[in-house]
């Protein structure tokens, strides 16, 4: 597979563009093939530079809305959570963070609304 870049006269093999570009393309293709469905993404930030995460989340929110796709993404990255928060607040779609907590032998979800996320991001509150 090759990509035509504005900065090069000839198409460039995707492998030469790095893991981040391949990961972004993989997510974009998964979204394109998931119309009216659910997309699960494990470690969504894997291979992607933190500076690109806001654009990634903007793309995910926009494409999910256009394709009627529910996206469930797992992460341990504060940068990813922060970028998600800013993108969620910038759209009319609902973005929710769910953290799994363990209490002795039980596992239960803790839900954070967009309002919670705004406070969390503003004050750098640890939620991972």
């Amino acid at each position: 597979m090759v990509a035509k870049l504005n900065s090069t006269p000839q198409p460039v093999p995707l492998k030469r563009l790095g893991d981040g570009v391949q990961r972004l393309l993989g997510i974009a293709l998964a979204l394109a093939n998931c119309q009216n469905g659910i997309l699960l993404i494990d470690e969504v930030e894997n291979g992607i530079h933190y500076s690109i995460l806001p654009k990634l989340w903007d793309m995910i929110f926009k494409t999910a809305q256009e394709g009627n796709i529910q996206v469930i993404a797992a992460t341990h990255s504060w940068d990813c959570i922060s970028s998600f928060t800013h993108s969620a607040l910038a759209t009319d779609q609902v973005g929710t963070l769910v953290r799994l907590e363990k209490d002795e032998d039980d596992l239960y979800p803790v839900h954070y609304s967009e309002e919670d996320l705004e406070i969390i991001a503003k004050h750098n509150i640890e939620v991972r």
Side-chain angles (χ1 to χ4, degrees):
M1 291 180 36
V2 295
K4 175 63 179 98
L5 306 176
N6 291 337
S7 61
T8 62
Q10 297 296 321
V12 176
L14 284 178
K15 289 188 178 197
R16 285 190 41 206
L17 298 177
D19 292 339
V21 170
Q22 292 178 49
R23 177 74 168 163
L24 289 171
L25 180 60
I27 291 171
L29 290 172
L31 282 162
N33 287 310
C34 203
Q35 303 293 304
N36 300 310
I38 299 171
L39 178 62
L40 306 173
I41 309 172
D42 189 27
E43 299 293 339
V44 65
E45 79 288 352
N46 222 7
I48 298 173
H49 194 269
Y50 74 93
S51 65
I52 302 300
L53 291 173
K55 290 180 182 179
L56 169 67
W57 280 114
D58 290 345
M59 184 264 302
I60 289 173
F61 272 101
K62 181 180 182 208
T63 308
Q65 183 173 25
E66 291 171 356
N68 188 35
I69 304 164
Q70 181 177 3
V71 177
I72 300 169
T75 187
H76 296 281
S77 163
W78 172 252
D79 292 323
C80 192
I81 292 169
S82 179
S83 295
F84 167 82
T85 299
H86 293 292
S87 292
L89 293 171
T91 183
D92 59 349
Q93 290 183 276
V94 176
T96 303
L97 174 70
V98 179
R99 184 176 88 191
L100 297 178
E101 286 280 335
K102 188 171 183 177
D103 183 20
E104 294 182 22
D105 293 330
D106 295 327
L107 193 63
Y108 61 94
V110 177
H111 297 264
Y112 297 94
S113 68
E114 286 184 359
E115 292 79 21
D116 297 332
L117 290 173
E118 187 171 22
I119 294 167
I120 288 165
K122 182 178 179 181
H123 298 288
N124 289 323
I125 298 170
E126 180 61 60
V127 293
R128 294 178 287 167

